[in-house]
Amino acid sequence: MKNNTEKFGKPPHQPSLWTRADALKVHTDDPTTTQPLVSANFPVLSNEVFIWDTMPLRDMDGNITSVDGWSVIFTLTADRHPNDPEYIDENGNYDITRDWNDRHGRAKMYYWFSRTGKDWELGGRVMAEGVSPTVREWAGTPILLNEQGEVDLYYTAVTPGATIVKVRGRVVTTEHGVSMVGFEKVKPLFEADGKMYQTEAQNPFWGFRDPWPFRDPNDGKLYMLFEGNVAGERGSHNVGEAEIGDVPPGYEDVGNSRFQTACVGIAVARDEDGDDWEMLPPLLTAVGVNDQTERPHFVFQDGKYYLFTISHTFTYADGVTGPDGVYGFVADSLFGPYVPLNGSGLVLGNPSSQPFQTYSHCVMPNGLVTSFIDSVPTDESGTQIRIGGTEAPTVGIRIKGQQTFVVAEYDYGYIPPMLDVTLK
Ligand code: FRU
């Protein structure tokens, strides 16, 4: 504690709490916070690969950046196996659902490019096989560093363990397309410490991933958001008055909600290059509310800090619920206090008739929200589904004070640049 005070000139912050009372205000199907229905007739980006988490190339301030007129996105990607005997069921049909559900175990980082901010062309894998130190290449953030085209890719190296890492490479453009060169040396940055952030030893279902580095528009320092769980042995967390919040009579029973311990983590860089990081206490905790606050990211607007994070229905605690989608919180300064947007936190959720239609939303500073298609029902009962593994239609939201509103829908995977960098 003393060290932090010396280094940062102020005592460490108190995490803000997403309380059970806040979550009771979540209303699935409120049209202002619900993603329009995705048609089952969606186009797919590729018949060879599934894609899910989408990471647009951006600068350290959060602006979506094209290079020499080319937009670039990175995606978590896995091969589709339509002809692999392992995924052929007893009737001789391709079991795409099982193939899709297994994808996390073989996730690799790929990149795509486009002249139009949509209609993405596959570039290929970012790192050659064998470069990343673990089996899974999980989500993170590609940052364009300069006009030389240098890119730092921050991501999560998973299985064994979960380590926040970075790898440096370069984006090269021609008239015909984009390639990624370098990306040969992965540098481990940090892992959960067991004191602020839960470790695998404390909870085999722990989460520690999804780095999102940024420069604070106010103090100019380099920080990083990430997903974590609050440290401590699984089952040892206390869901007390603070975590419950101001609930109506009859809502005091917290059931087994002590098992849900999500938090949004933050670290500060000790150097300008972002090679040396110090973890700080979480910005936001959801103990007793939800077990996953994934892919946290910021939009800096109107002098405020809009903190967004994705979460699931299945990760909510006993007695509270909400749709799969993106949730948000706002503060006047980086370290809070954060209050849930729209009272509840819900910003853009799936409609109850298509609860898994999209996920992994990323709110961009222009108010556009990108996500991927997970599965869409193809019949009334919802028993037949079509698996996505491709880009969802982009949604436009308006952010006003402590409220947000769905205002527009755009094409599939529409991620227009906010600025273009001419490479030297
Ligand atoms: C979100 C997510 C990320 C993780 C990745 C794994 O969709 O769960 O948190 O990095 O997917 O596939």
Side-chain angles (χ1 to χ4, degrees):
M1 287 235 176
K2 189 149 171 279
N3 282 345
N4 277 344
T5 311
E6 278 161 12
K7 256 182 233 138
F8 304 114
K10 59 177 181 204
H13 56 279
Q14 288 294 317
S16 300
L17 268 60
W18 187 22
T19 67
R20 290 175 63 85
D22 299 330
L24 286 173
K25 289 181 181 286
V26 170
H27 286 301
T28 307
D29 292 332
D30 172 338
T32 67
T33 53
T34 299
Q35 183 146 6
L37 285 173
V38 172
S39 158
N41 291 323
F42 54 81
V44 295
L45 218 50
S46 162
N47 287 312
E48 272 75 58
V49 293
F50 295 122
I51 64 102
W52 61 108
D53 293 12
T54 297
M55 300 156 261
L57 183 67
R58 64 159 174 86
D59 65 16
M60 216 28 123
D61 302 316
N63 302 302
I64 311 300
T65 309
S66 59
V67 279
D68 295 335
W70 291 103
S71 288
V72 179
I73 54 173
F74 287 42
T75 58
L76 294 192
T77 306
D79 289 342
R80 296 176 186 245
H81 294 120
N83 302 314
D84 184 334
E86 200 188 323
Y87 291 102
I88 306 296
D89 67 17
E90 61 274 15
N91 303 318
N93 298 320
Y94 169 40
D95 188 350
I96 186 174
T97 304
R98 199 158 55 79
D99 195 10
W100 170 242
N101 290 339
D102 284 354
R103 73 191 186 280
H104 300 287
R106 56 179 200 276
K108 307 288 177 203
M109 197 65 80
Y110 277 62
Y111 70 97
W112 307 71
F113 54 88
S114 155
R115 276 282 185 212
T116 58
K118 53 186 189 177
D119 307 314
W120 299 96
E121 271 183 71
L122 183 56
R125 254 183 100 168
V126 177
M127 285 168 282
E129 183 63 29
V131 167
S132 196
T134 62
V135 175
R136 309 173 181 203
E137 300 169 13
W138 276 14
T141 311
I143 309 271
L144 180 69
L145 295 173
N146 51 41
E147 293 174 337
Q148 281 70 49
E150 280 187 300
V151 171
D152 265 350
L153 173 62
Y154 290 78
Y155 73 99
T156 324
V158 177
T159 314
T163 309
I164 308 268
V165 301
K166 74 187 258 193
V167 55
R168 186 167 292 187
R170 207 155 49 84
V171 51
V172 176
T173 69
T174 69
E175 243 175 85
H176 307 292
V178 169
S179 47
M180 293 290 161
V181 300
F183 299 98
E184 280 160 1
K185 217 172 151 278
V186 175
K187 187 180 168 74
L189 298 178
F190 55 88
E191 295 173 27
D193 60 348
K195 295 196 177 77
M196 291 182 282
Y197 298 99
Q198 198 172 46
T199 58
E200 185 171 15
Q202 293 174 330
N203 174 8
F205 311 107
W206 94 127
F208 194 77
R209 53 181 183 260
D210 302 348
W212 197 89
F214 64 100
R215 195 169 295 288
D216 177 5
N218 287 309
D219 74 13
K221 283 193 213 158
L222 203 54
Y223 294 91
M224 186 199 296
L225 297 178
F226 53 87
E227 170 188 0
N229 288 98
V230 175
E233 293 295 325
R234 178 171 157 79
S236 71
H237 296 76
N238 182 37
V239 182
E241 263 175 39
E243 289 77 15
I244 296 172
D246 298 313
V247 294
Y251 287 83
E252 301 87 353
D253 181 1
V254 300
N256 280 325
S257 68
R258 67 183 180 284
F259 293 110
Q260 278 69 43
T261 61
C263 68
V264 172
I266 186 165
V268 62
R270 296 194 185 96
D271 65 331
E272 263 307 294
D273 272 351
D275 288 327
D276 186 12
W277 294 84
E278 172 171 355
M279 281 182 274
L280 302 176
L283 279 190
L284 183 85
T285 61
V287 173
V289 177
N290 203 305
D291 206 34
Q292 291 187 0
T293 45
E294 306 192 283
R295 297 196 67 197
H297 55 285
F298 272 123
V299 168
F300 309 112
Q301 185 188 302
D302 306 326
K304 296 188 191 304
Y305 294 78
Y306 287 92
L307 172 63
F308 295 99
T309 177
I310 54 171
S311 197
H312 290 287
T313 305
F314 85 91
T315 55
Y316 267 100
D318 280 355
V320 282
T321 189
D324 278 26
V326 62
Y327 292 75
F329 303 83
V330 60
D332 290 327
S333 71
L334 176 57
F335 291 103
Y338 283 87
V339 299
L341 290 170
N342 304 316
S344 65
L346 180 61
V347 169
L348 188 64
N350 284 332
S352 57
S353 59
Q354 302 200 154
F356 304 113
Q357 65 171 16
T358 63
Y359 191 58
S360 208
H361 301 74
C362 171
V363 183
M364 297 176 272
N366 52 10
L368 268 53
V369 188
T370 173
S371 61
F372 72 85
I373 301 178
D374 185 331
S375 67
V376 178
T378 53
D379 66 350
E380 282 287 303
S381 68
T383 46
Q384 300 294 318
I385 54 166
R386 182 171 174 220
I387 294 291
T390 188
E391 297 289 342
T394 296
V395 173
I397 63 168
R398 184 138 306 134
I399 303 170
K400 274 190 199 163
Q402 299 191 0
Q403 292 188 305
T404 67
F405 300 86
V406 171
V407 292
E409 195 184 19
Y410 302 92
D411 216 340
Y412 297 91
Y414 181 50
I415 303 173
M418 298 169 57
L419 52 92
D420 184 59
V421 170
T422 305
L423 298 184
K424 298 231 159 87

